[in-house]
Amino acid sequence: MVYVARHAHPERTTMSVTETDAPKALEAAEGTLAVEEVARHPLPGMAIPDQVAFSPDDRLITYLKSPERSLVRQLFVFDPQTGKENLFVSPPDGGTTEENVSLAEALRRERLRQREIGVTTYAWANRASRVLVPIKGDLYVQDGPGAPLRKLVASGGAPILDPQLSPDGAFVAFVRDAELYVVDAAGGSPRQITSGARGTGKTHGLAEYVAQEEMSRHHGYWWSPDGKWIAFAEVDETHIPIYRIVHQGKATTGVEAEEDHHYPFTGKENARVRLGVVSVSGGEPVWVDTSYGEEVYLARVHWLAGGRLAAELQNRVQTWLELVSFDRATGARTRLLREETNVWINLHDLLRPLADGGFLWASERTGYRHLYRYDHEGTLVAELTRGAWMVDDVRGVDEKGGFVYFTATAAGPLESHLYAVPLDGGEMRRITTEPGMHVVTCDRACRRFVDVHHANDRPPTVKLRSIEDGAVLATIHDEPDPRITALGLTPPEIVSFPSRDGETLYGALYRPPAHFGKGPFPTIVYVYGGPHVQLVTNGWNMTVTMRPQWLRSLGYLVFMVDNRGSARRGLAFEGAIKHRMGSIEVDDQVDGVRFLVSQGLADPTRVGVYGWSYGGYMAAMCLARAPETFKVAVSGAPVTHWDGYDTHYTERYMGMPSENMRGYEDSSVMRHVDGIRGKLMLVHGLIDENVHFRHTARLINAMIAARKPYDLLLFPDERHMPRRPPDRIYMEELIRDYFVRNL
C-alpha cells in the first residue's frame, strides 16, 4: 500500500501551483530533470573502465567497459605501445543478468552492491597469461588476447560460487554445494577436495554473512602462492535460528516464495568458523589453532613469504586484533602483532607480504591510519607515515626499488592522492597533483599506474601515468558523456562550518537555479551519517548525485553534511558515536541547518531530510529528536532499533546489548517517537535481507501506539537497494511529491 498525504497547503509548495497538478507542473518547469534521468544507471559520466588490471607481464591493461554507456559490460584490452583498445571478451548469450543468476549469486551481488551485468568480473593469474571469466554461472578461461574463450565448467544444478585462479594459472578452484572443488585450467573434470559439509548445513570455502556484509571479506578460501595448498573456512550456522523472508509479491506460495537466512542478531550467536588447510590434491585438512577462550572473528587470511599461513583474528567487541601465523603441518599459532583500542578496530586490506618474510601493516594506533613495516617475527622495523591524516590504500610495493606507493588524505580530507615513501622510512613524495580524487592501479613493476581521476567539476578520466613524476603516457578514457551537457548539471559548493562545540564539519550545497531568487529557500538535507562512509568530497560523484540535482531544479536548497561518525577524518572523529548512535550525528545535522539559516539560505520553517539505510535511520531520528528543525522526513530502509541488526556491525559501535542496554534503548527511533511533529514517509523493500522490513514494522507499531500519522511506500520485490528501473522511477516520483506537498 502507498499512502501519500493530501492536505498540504498550496502556498507551501516550491511553485505557485495547485496541489493536484503540482507534480505535472513541476515536471514541465524549465530546467527540471526528467525522473527517468534521476533513476537511471550508470550515472552521467560514470560509464568508465572498471576493474582495471595489468597483465602479468605488464604489457597490457584490461578493464570492464560498456561502449553504449549502459550497465551491460564487456572485457576490453588496451595496448599502451600502440594506443589501441580492443574487445577481449564479449559475454555469450548476453552474459549475466539480474534474472539468470542463482539466489546465492544474487545475494553475493547484494553484498558487493553490484548492479552491472554482462561480464561482471574477471581475474588474471598472477604468473600466467590466463584470464578467468565467470559468466551466467559457467566458468570460462582465455589464454591471453586472441585466444578463444573456452568454457571450463558448466554450472549444472548447483551454482558455482567464488571461482579463483591459482597464482600460476594451472588450476581454478570454486565452491559448489557447500564443498571446495579444483579443476585443471587446461580442461578436465572438477575434483572435490573437501568433504563433510554437504548436507549438514555447514559450508567449506564460503564467507559467512557478517564477513561479507560487514567485514568486507567476500572470500572463504585462499590459494597459497605456490598453488599447492588452499586455506579455507568451515562455517557452521546451524545453531542460528532461521529468519524467514516471504516473497509476498509473488503469485505463488510455498518454498519457491520463501528464503531462510541464518541471521546473527546483535547479542545472539554468531556463525562458528574454523580455518583449515588442504592440499590441492585433496586429503585430510589441517585445522589451525584459532582458540582464545573467548569468541573471535576470522577477519582476514593471508599467505606470507615461504608459504607461511597467517590470519587476522578479532575479539567479538572488536577492541583488539591479533595478526598470527600458523605452522601448516601442526596448526600451531604464533602471534606476530596485537592491536588494542578503547574505540574499535577498523579492519583494512593494507597488509602486504614482503619477500624477506616481513610485511607492511596499517594501524590507527595514533588516531589516524598509517603504515608500518615489520620483520618476519613481527618486530617493528620502520614507521613509514605519520600525521593528522590517513592512508586510504596501498597500491604498490617496489621491494627492488625500495618504495611503497599509497593513496592518502594528506592533502586534505576531501581528496585522495598517490604518494611514495621509502620502505625503510623517510620523506614521502606526492605523485598526483590535479585536485580531486585519484583511484590508482599500479603495474606489477611499479613503473606506471592507471589513474582514474575526477573532481566536482571534472568527470572521470582514465590515464596511464609514469610513477616517477605522474606524467601522462597514454589516455585510456577521456570521452565526454553527452548526458552531462544535456542535463546541465551544476557542481555543488563545498563549505565548512563549526559544530556547536567547535568541530569543523564539511558540507555540500546544491543551490536552486537563479530564477528562484537568492533565498531563503525551502531546504532538504540528504543524510547518511554512519561510519565507514564519506559523502562530501571533491569528487564527480557529488555532481551526479541525481536526487539533489533534481530537487534543486525544483527550487529546493539541498544540503549534505558529514557529521561525526563519518569516515576519513580519523578515529576520534569517527568514534564520537561510540555507544550512542543517533545522538551527536543529529546535533551535527542540526548545526548544518543553523549554518544555512545564518547565511540567509534556508527557511527555518521549511526543512526536510531524507536518507537510506543508516541515512534512513538518521532521517527518522532527525524528525524525532530535532522536531524544531526538521518538518518532513523520508526514511528509506531504516534500522529503527539496533537490537534488530547484525552482530559485527552493531557491536562494533554499540557494544553488547547486555552491557549497554540504556545505549541501545536511547539509540532506537521508537524511544523518541513522541517527539515527532512533522511528516514521515517510510520506504522499504519487503525482501530486504540486510535491514529487514521488521524494522519499519516495529516503528509503525510505535507510531500507532503514539497516535502519530505516517506514510508508507513498499516494494514487494526489492531488497536493500531498489534495482528495477520501474521501481526506482516510481520511488523518485513519490519522494518528490512528498516533499512538494509537505514542505
Side-chain angles (χ1 to χ4, degrees):
M1 179 184 74
V2 178
Y3 167 61
V4 179
R6 294 285 181 179
H7 57 269
H9 300 291
E11 67 271 20
R12 303 289 282 178
T13 63
T14 55
M15 304 183 69
S16 180
V17 294
T18 64
E19 182 178 289
T20 54
D21 65 3
K24 182 178 179 180
L26 287 168
E27 279 289 1
E30 180 182 356
T32 62
L33 299 174
V35 64
E36 289 79 9
E37 291 291 351
V38 179
R40 179 178 166 187
H41 285 276
L43 298 169
M46 298 299 285
I48 63 171
D50 187 27
Q51 295 186 33
V52 177
F54 283 86
S55 60
D57 60 6
D58 281 343
R59 287 183 51 250
L60 303 172
I61 301 167
T62 52
Y63 42 82
L64 299 179
K65 175 183 168 183
S66 173
E68 66 276 12
R69 299 189 178 95
S70 73
L71 290 174
V72 183
R73 302 193 300 184
Q74 300 170 297
L75 181 58
F76 285 82
V77 60
F78 179 84
D79 187 337
Q81 287 191 325
T82 65
K84 296 291 181 64
E85 175 188 80
N86 291 296
L87 182 64
F88 194 177
V89 173
S90 180
D93 303 321
T96 299
T97 68
E98 294 279 10
E99 291 74 30
N100 64 20
V101 297
S102 65
L103 173 61
E105 187 60 31
L107 293 174
R108 282 179 61 84
R109 285 170 61 82
E110 283 289 316
R111 302 287 81 75
L112 293 165
R113 306 297 190 259
Q114 187 175 67
R115 294 183 185 275
E116 294 79 15
I117 57 178
V119 179
T120 60
T121 188
Y122 75 99
W124 284 98
N126 286 345
R127 303 190 300 274
S129 185
R130 177 168 282 159
V131 178
L132 172 67
V133 189
I135 301 174
K136 281 200 314 186
D138 299 332
L139 300 186
Y140 293 83
V141 293
Q142 187 157 329
D143 300 323
L149 185 67
R150 295 186 287 112
K151 182 183 286 189
L152 185 64
V153 183
S155 59
I160 293 172
L161 300 175
D162 194 21
Q164 298 180 42
L165 269 168
S166 62
D168 59 6
F171 297 98
V172 176
F174 59 88
V175 179
R176 174 188 270 169
D177 197 10
E179 301 289 2
L180 262 172
Y181 286 78
V182 169
V183 62
D184 192 311
S189 299
R191 295 179 289 105
Q192 182 179 330
I193 63 168
T194 63
S195 61
R198 182 174 298 144
T200 67
K202 300 177 182 179
T203 59
H204 286 153
L206 293 179
E208 70 274 24
Y209 172 81
V210 293
Q212 294 184 49
E213 180 64 35
E214 310 301 2
M215 300 185 208
S216 297
R217 175 169 69 77
H218 299 283
H219 300 300
Y221 71 92
W222 301 266
W223 279 102
S224 66
D226 60 9
K228 295 179 179 179
W229 304 90
I230 296 180
F232 69 95
E234 179 183 85
V235 175
D236 181 1
E237 297 176 318
T238 56
H239 56 286
I240 300 177
I242 286 174
Y243 186 85
R244 178 163 292 168
I245 294 176
V246 178
H247 290 242
Q248 302 281 9
K250 286 189 179 296
T252 58
T253 59
V255 176
E256 64 272 17
E258 298 173 351
E259 296 176 18
D260 287 344
H261 297 267
H262 293 282
Y263 190 94
F265 289 101
T266 183
K268 307 298 183 182
E269 289 193 281
N270 268 315
R272 294 168 185 154
V273 181
R274 60 175 179 163
L275 181 64
V277 185
V278 65
S279 166
V280 72
S281 303
E284 286 298 314
V286 172
W287 299 102
V288 302
D289 179 15
T290 59
S291 175
Y292 278 80
E294 64 176 292
E295 185 176 354
V296 297
Y297 288 108
L298 179 66
R300 298 285 186 270
V301 176
H302 310 279
W303 287 93
L304 304 179
R308 185 168 53 146
L309 179 64
E312 298 174 36
L313 303 172
Q314 183 184 51
N315 67 328
R316 178 153 177 170
V317 293
Q318 300 169 63
T319 55
W320 63 257
L321 177 144
E322 287 194 353
L323 175 67
V324 301
S325 64
F326 303 102
D327 184 296
R328 200 173 61 214
T330 66
R333 181 176 80 232
T334 300
R335 181 199 293 179
L336 296 176
L337 64 82
R338 182 182 175 97
E339 297 282 353
E340 295 190 64
T341 179
N342 58 4
V343 183
W344 56 71
I345 300 288
N346 284 312
L347 299 177
H348 58 73
D349 292 299
L350 276 63
L351 183 146
R352 295 294 184 274
L354 301 175
D356 63 2
F359 53 91
L360 296 182
W361 179 249
S363 169
E364 290 182 291
R365 63 190 62 158
T366 65
Y368 295 89
R369 187 163 66 198
H370 284 292
L371 296 178
Y372 303 85
R373 181 180 174 184
Y374 286 82
D375 69 13
H376 69 287
E377 294 180 340
T379 300
L380 180 64
V381 174
E383 177 190 57
L384 302 186
T385 63
R386 64 189 65 84
W389 49 271
M390 64 177 286
V391 172
D392 284 325
D393 203 357
V394 173
R395 303 312 302 158
V397 181
D398 179 8
E399 294 192 62
K400 186 176 180 179
F403 283 94
V404 180
Y405 298 92
F406 62 96
T407 52
T409 66
L414 306 187
E415 301 201 351
S416 183
H417 288 275
L418 180 65
Y419 298 85
V421 68
L423 259 174
D424 294 327
E427 185 176 352
M428 70 182 199
R429 172 174 59 91
R430 178 171 163 178
I431 299 172
T432 54
T433 57
E434 299 92 338
M437 306 295 288
H438 294 265
V439 181
V440 169
T441 303
C442 292
D443 67 12
R444 295 162 197 262
C446 290
R447 297 293 178 267
R448 302 167 299 168
F449 67 97
V450 174
D451 179 23
V452 180
H453 169 242
H454 57 97
N456 286 355
D457 59 352
R458 184 181 298 273
T461 59
V462 184
K463 297 181 179 181
L464 180 66
R465 295 178 179 268
S466 165
I467 213 162
E468 180 62 31
D469 57 8
V472 176
L473 304 176
T475 297
I476 298 171
H477 175 89
D478 190 6
E479 302 172 4
D481 185 341
R483 289 177 65 199
I484 297 173
T485 302
L487 297 176
L489 302 177
T490 302
E493 303 168 37
I494 304 300
V495 298
S496 64
F497 60 92
S499 70
R500 65 191 67 184
D501 52 0
E503 182 69 68
T504 297
L505 303 176
Y506 292 96
L509 188 62
Y510 299 77
R511 293 177 186 256
H515 62 265
F516 285 98
K518 296 183 179 180
F521 303 103
T523 298
I524 300 173
V525 173
Y526 165 36
V527 62
Y528 181 80
H532 282 200
V533 172
Q534 180 188 35
L535 290 181
V536 181
T537 65
N538 182 15
W540 181 247
N541 52 294
M542 301 288 295
T543 301
V544 292
T545 302
M546 296 302 288
R547 192 183 295 161
Q549 291 284 9
W550 194 29
L551 293 172
R552 69 167 287 277
S553 76
L554 302 178
Y556 294 100
L557 179 74
V558 183
F559 193 51
M560 63 177 74
V561 175
D562 281 327
N563 51 248
R564 274 169 284 190
S566 303
R568 300 183 80 234
R569 294 286 304 276
L571 194 56
F573 187 89
E574 186 182 54
I577 66 172
K578 185 177 175 70
H579 289 179
R580 53 172 186 156
M581 282 177 161
S583 176
I584 198 169
E585 309 101 293
V586 173
D587 292 344
D588 286 353
Q589 295 295 326
V590 169
D591 290 349
V593 174
R594 290 175 178 172
F595 166 75
L596 297 179
V597 172
S598 72
Q599 301 297 305
L601 293 173
D603 179 347
T605 68
R606 302 172 69 185
V607 179
V609 59
Y610 75 86
W612 200 270
S613 196
Y614 199 103
Y617 164 69
M618 280 291 296
M621 287 294 266
C622 283
L623 195 69
R625 300 195 70 165
E628 72 288 347
T629 299
F630 297 98
K631 315 304 181 185
V632 184
V634 175
S635 172
V639 177
T640 60
H641 198 310
W642 292 102
D643 67 3
Y645 203 55
D646 70 51
T647 51
H648 193 270
Y649 184 94
T650 309
E651 293 162 8
R652 182 188 317 151
Y653 310 119
M654 293 294 294
M656 298 295 288
S658 60
E659 298 172 2
N660 187 26
M661 293 178 62
R662 178 63 182 271
Y664 272 79
E665 195 61 32
D666 286 347
S667 295
S668 74
V669 182
M670 282 74 89
R671 170 72 172 77
H672 305 282
V673 159
D674 285 343
I676 293 177
R677 300 200 297 266
K679 299 291 297 182
L680 173 64
M681 181 164 80
L682 299 164
V683 188
H684 219 124
L686 285 183
I687 60 171
D688 189 339
E689 84 295 343
N690 179 356
V691 181
H692 304 136
F693 174 67
R694 170 177 176 246
H695 284 274
T696 288
R698 292 174 69 187
L699 178 55
I700 289 172
N701 275 338
M703 297 288 285
I704 293 170
R707 301 181 69 182
K708 300 284 185 177
Y710 67 92
D711 302 311
L712 183 62
L713 173 57
L714 299 180
F715 292 95
D717 296 327
E718 293 287 7
R719 297 188 184 276
H720 191 54
M721 46 183 281
R723 290 175 175 269
R724 303 193 310 177
D727 289 352
R728 294 180 58 80
I729 291 170
Y730 187 70
M731 178 180 70
E732 295 297 342
E733 287 180 328
L734 266 67
I735 290 175
R736 172 206 59 189
D737 295 354
Y738 200 72
F739 283 122
V740 167
R741 292 187 177 110
N742 294 296
L743 202 58

